[in-house]
Amino acid sequence: MATLGIPQNTIDILQKYQFHFQKKYGQNFLIDTHVLEKIIESAGITKDDFVLEIGPGIGTMTQYLCENARQVMAVEIDQNLIPILQETLSAYDNVTIVNEDILKLDIAKVAEEYNEGKPIKVVANLPYYITTPIIMGLFESHVPLKSVTVMVQKEVADRMQSEPGTKAYGALSLAVQYYADAEVVANVPPNCFMPRPNVGSAVIRLTCHEQKPVSVKDEKFMFRVIRASFNQRRKTLQNGLGNDAGLPVTKEEAAAALGKMGLSPTIRGERLSLQEFAQLSDLLQ
Ligand code: SAM
């Protein structure tokens, strides 16, 4: 099968199957071989790896993954793409195509069955409408993960990498920091996709920590505190935490905990580091 990273080959297969792009599924297919090679290289795929690909589309990146990995599972929600994938990946016997919504798949079970429960690599040109639920789902459901190398909106890549005190800093930055080291490995302009997205994109590699960078009594509770702190960004932290219906904390308790940490009760959540959120969470519990 011809390389789909070459635009004419993508056009030919789309025409053959009379495929219509579905906006609701965030379908922007890659048509740039340099970007594809860069993703595979950054993910460090070897013949030892089991790779989960989220949203293979017509199989453009899947072809590269099959060439480089031991085993690939490609999970695609759009059933109209399945016959196309069966054709474009017919040369490979190391790929499993699954027609499923990634948010409904038990990925920990997949890792168990296909990789003896050992950490897996995830590679994807993500559908942008569900980037955060996919990333958070992978982390919070404790799937054994080695790395997650994904194309995301440039603005989301910035959020994942940002430091306290910056505008982009928020719950996503803290979650990514808690679970992984993040590095943007490429910036990708709209003309590398068909159809072109309205936003710039970036490939980010999240290398998962073997040991968490902070210790906290209850990580679920810490993330509730973090979410409450950023839900009302413009409020002071004591008000944000005290007013959050889902968090059993009063304004006074929040102020007392901040006081113990030597912080002002009027501080805003965006000023606190991951280390400080861990400490605050332990004090509030
Ligand atoms: N990997 C292909 C490429 O790079 O050319 C396609 C990437 S496209 C940005 C996103 C893909 O994810 C589409 O094929 C879309 O149908 C699929 N998708 C969207 N939502 C999904 C979901 N919930 N579960 C699985 N796949 C999904």
Side-chain angles (χ1 to χ4, degrees):
M1 179 71 208
T3 305
L4 296 160
I6 294 165
Q8 191 55 50
N9 295 340
T10 286
I11 293 168
D12 288 348
I13 196 98
L14 293 175
Q15 274 178 354
K16 178 174 170 189
Y17 284 85
Q18 307 226 313
F19 179 76
H20 296 289
F21 288 99
Q22 298 229 46
K23 226 177 168 178
K24 68 170 178 184
Y25 288 146
Q27 292 175 340
N28 301 95
F29 298 163
L30 266 169
I31 45 160
D32 187 297
T33 52
H34 297 298
V35 174
L36 287 154
E37 282 158 14
K38 182 75 192 172
I39 295 173
I40 301 297
E41 181 206 311
S42 309
I45 306 295
T46 72
K47 281 287 170 196
D48 284 335
D49 290 324
F50 169 79
V51 179
L52 171 70
E53 187 191 8
I54 300 166
I58 56 172
T60 313
M61 193 152 66
T62 328
Q63 292 182 333
Y64 285 80
L65 292 171
C66 291
E67 292 286 342
N68 290 280
R70 171 176 58 82
Q71 185 74 31
V72 179
M73 177 177 283
V75 180
E76 174 55 60
I77 197 169
D78 185 351
Q79 62 176 6
N80 293 330
L81 287 165
I82 304 303
I84 304 184
L85 286 165
Q86 278 159 353
E87 176 176 339
T88 59
L89 302 175
S90 59
Y92 302 103
D93 60 6
N94 60 341
V95 61
T96 311
I97 302 164
V98 178
N99 184 200
E100 179 60 284
D101 177 347
I102 192 66
L103 298 176
K104 294 190 182 145
L105 190 75
D106 184 345
I107 302 172
K109 197 167 150 208
V110 168
E112 194 57 54
E113 278 173 20
Y114 286 80
N115 210 36
E116 299 167 345
K118 288 184 292 192
I120 64 168
K121 289 185 176 172
V122 175
V123 179
N125 170 15
L126 286 178
Y128 292 169
Y129 74 107
I130 44 168
T131 301
T132 304
I134 290 177
I135 304 272
M136 294 307 294
L138 283 169
F139 285 147
E140 287 179 346
S141 55
H142 295 275
V143 174
L145 290 173
K146 203 177 266 180
S147 63
V148 177
T149 307
V150 281
M151 179 88 70
V152 296
Q153 277 184 51
K154 170 88 180 60
E155 175 249 321
V156 175
D158 289 344
R159 273 168 43 207
M160 288 182 183
Q161 266 204 320
S162 59
E163 298 290 329
T166 59
K167 216 174 136 202
Y169 187 63
L172 184 63
S173 333
L174 284 153
V176 165
Q177 255 189 54
Y178 182 68
Y179 290 105
D181 275 327
E183 188 186 352
V184 170
V185 292
N187 283 309
V188 184
N191 63 5
C192 295
F193 301 87
M194 183 187 299
R196 294 179 183 195
N198 298 326
V199 290
S201 303
V203 179
I204 192 162
R205 181 182 55 217
L206 310 175
T207 309
C208 302
H209 298 308
E210 280 177 22
Q211 233 163 357
K212 300 283 184 290
V214 297
S215 73
V216 61
K217 280 189 223 147
D218 180 345
E219 68 180 49
K220 273 207 174 108
F221 185 74
M222 176 176 75
F223 281 106
R224 280 168 68 191
V225 170
I226 289 174
R227 269 191 280 271
S229 306
F230 289 96
N231 268 350
Q232 296 156 312
R233 246 192 128 84
R234 287 165 60 206
K235 285 209 168 135
T236 62
L237 197 48
Q238 62 169 356
N239 282 336
L241 296 174
N243 290 338
D244 193 280
L247 204 65
V249 170
T250 64
K251 186 177 158 183
E252 291 69 31
E253 285 166 342
L258 289 167
K260 274 194 194 154
M261 292 170 63
L263 298 173
S264 154
T266 59
I267 198 167
R268 290 179 205 281
E270 66 208 35
R271 292 275 153 205
L272 267 61
S273 65
L274 176 62
Q275 180 71 48
E276 288 169 319
F277 271 113
Q279 206 184 338
L280 179 62
S281 153
D282 283 354
L283 283 169
L284 288 175
Q285 232 188 347

